[in-house]
Amino acid sequence: MLVSLEPVDAAEVTLLVDNYVDLLMAGGDGVSRYATDEFGDREHLIAEHGFAALVTVERGGTRSSLLYDAGMTPVALGRNLDVLEVRVKDLRAIVISHGHADHHGGLEGLFRRYGRGGLPLVIHPDAWRERRLVFPTGAELRLPPPNRNDLEREGVEVVEERGQTLLLDDAVLTSGYVERTTAFEQGFPIHYARCDGEWQPDPAIEDDQNVIVNVKGKGLVIVSGCSHAGAVNVLRNAQRLTGEQRVAGFIGGFHLTGGLFEPIIEPTVEAFARAQVSRVLPAHCTGWKAVHALARAMPAAFVQPAVGTTVGF
């Protein structure tokens, strides 16, 4: 069944938190970079292992924005919001892509700092699970989930939803669970979740969700935190939900870094090239080999992501 996503006149996506920052990077057609007139002791943008984006839509002359993810630390998110002069009090919603700490950690203290309460925060119910990675060496990496009580004390209205949610007057679609259809995107095999007091394999990470905008005359803009469902699944799921096949932009993590995922770089890049995605910003967890492969295969579409980058559609 198609979702009634209202087309918008224009959209912008600004990278608030990402793994990379470059104050000397040039912009381009529809791409603007943060510019500073001095280097020194003043506050500048900072990067960290995490992701956050400001998604802004314009319809009928009215602009509305939401925060998608929040990076790993309050330091990075708070600093970058200040430097980029983002009016937090004007935000209308928050969406968390999944329960890993590098996507929600920056929310701590956000509204104590900026004085905003009652904002809806859309999250998949599986995001509360305690998770960990178990490497072949036996080493473990814990992935702390968000704390619902802490978020509610911040003054947000927690909205748990497994399926789709429409936000900003039906102009932004939160995907909910992403349908898995590709043969080669098989999830994260070393990922585990604690269920009923026991650690169990959790390769699918079913709380992975993205946000989708439909820009008139251009097609879909898809923003995805890590694409644990598989970047191609994320793209095709957005097309299936909306009935729109054109993809104006795909921004966010592809999760193709490391030996577990490098074997699927080639089919992923081929699928994106066939889909004729107009703009590709492979951020956060994409991995340098996949970034280079996308840049080679789609030179006209490729945009190097960096904190402070704004892409307009």
Side-chain angles (χ1 to χ4, degrees), residues 168-195:
L168 306 190
D169 304 315
D170 297 344
V172 179
L173 172 64
T174 301
S175 70
Y177 172 77
V178 175
E179 187 174 312
R180 320 297 169 100
T181 60
T182 62
F184 58 90
E185 293 173 315
Q186 295 295 315
F188 206 169
I190 63 171
H191 187 269
Y192 291 78
R194 188 186 290 275
C195 302

Side-chain angles (χ1 to χ4, degrees), residues 60 115 193 206 219:
E206 292 192 356

Side-chain angles (χ1 to χ4, degrees), residues 47-78:
E48 68 176 12
H49 181 85
F51 186 79
L54 180 73
V55 180
T56 301
V57 296
E58 181 175 335
R59 187 168 56 179
T62 299
R63 290 167 60 88
S64 303
S65 299
L66 61 76
L67 177 66
Y68 176 72
D69 280 352
M72 183 180 286
T73 66
V75 172
L77 182 65

Side-chain angles (χ1 to χ4, degrees), residues 14 16 54-56 63-67 77-94 110-111 113-116 119:
T14 299
L16 300 175
L54 180 73
V55 180
T56 301
R63 290 167 60 88
S64 303
S65 299
L66 61 76
L67 177 66
L77 182 65
R79 167 83 66 84
N80 294 343
L81 286 169
D82 286 347
V83 172
L84 295 171
E85 299 181 343
V86 175
R87 291 179 55 86
V88 175
K89 291 185 178 181
D90 290 343
L91 293 174
R92 292 185 52 192
I94 300 172
L110 180 67
F111 298 108
R113 175 175 180 170
Y114 292 101
R116 172 72 172 179
L119 202 64

Side-chain angles (χ1 to χ4, degrees), residues 26 40 49 64-65 70 86 95-96 101 105 122 163 167 185 196 206 213 218 224 272 277 288 295 312:
H49 181 85
S64 303
S65 299
V86 175
V95 177
I96 298 300
V122 179
L167 299 167
E185 293 173 315
D196 299 323
E206 292 192 356
V213 177
K218 296 181 179 180
S224 183
F272 269 73
V277 179
W288 70 268

Side-chain angles (χ1 to χ4, degrees), residues 19-204:
N19 297 28
Y20 182 74
V21 65
D22 184 346
L23 297 181
L24 300 177
M25 188 176 295
D29 182 26
V31 179
S32 62
R33 309 288 189 179
Y34 169 73
T36 181
D37 56 4
E38 65 175 279
F39 291 147
D41 294 333
R42 57 172 289 194
E43 287 193 345
H44 288 295
L45 297 172
I46 56 177
E48 68 176 12
H49 181 85
F51 186 79
L54 180 73
V55 180
T56 301
V57 296
E58 181 175 335
R59 187 168 56 179
T62 299
R63 290 167 60 88
S64 303
S65 299
L66 61 76
L67 177 66
Y68 176 72
D69 280 352
M72 183 180 286
T73 66
V75 172
L77 182 65
R79 167 83 66 84
N80 294 343
L81 286 169
D82 286 347
V83 172
L84 295 171
E85 299 181 343
V86 175
R87 291 179 55 86
V88 175
K89 291 185 178 181
D90 290 343
L91 293 174
R92 292 185 52 192
I94 300 172
V95 177
I96 298 300
S97 65
H98 61 297
H100 291 166
D102 50 334
H103 296 263
H104 67 76
L107 288 177
E108 182 183 342
L110 180 67
F111 298 108
R112 290 196 300 272
R113 175 175 180 170
Y114 292 101
R116 172 72 172 179
L119 202 64
L121 183 146
V122 179
I123 191 168
H124 189 287
D126 287 357
W128 310 115
R129 291 180 173 181
E130 185 180 356
R131 265 92 173 245
R132 68 181 182 181
L133 300 179
V134 181
F135 297 94
T137 61
E140 296 184 2
L141 176 64
R142 292 295 180 97
L143 303 167
N147 184 294
R148 180 169 189 152
N149 291 333
D150 288 348
L151 290 174
E152 290 178 339
R153 279 196 295 268
E154 291 281 342
V156 299
E157 176 191 348
V158 175
V159 180
E160 285 189 5
E161 180 57 64
R162 294 184 182 275
Q164 298 85 42
T165 305
L166 286 165
L167 299 167
L168 306 190
D169 304 315
D170 297 344
V172 179
L173 172 64
T174 301
S175 70
Y177 172 77
V178 175
E179 187 174 312
R180 320 297 169 100
T181 60
T182 62
F184 58 90
E185 293 173 315
Q186 295 295 315
F188 206 169
I190 63 171
H191 187 269
Y192 291 78
R194 188 186 290 275
C195 302
D196 299 323
E198 297 183 356
W199 288 105
Q200 299 178 8
D202 182 34

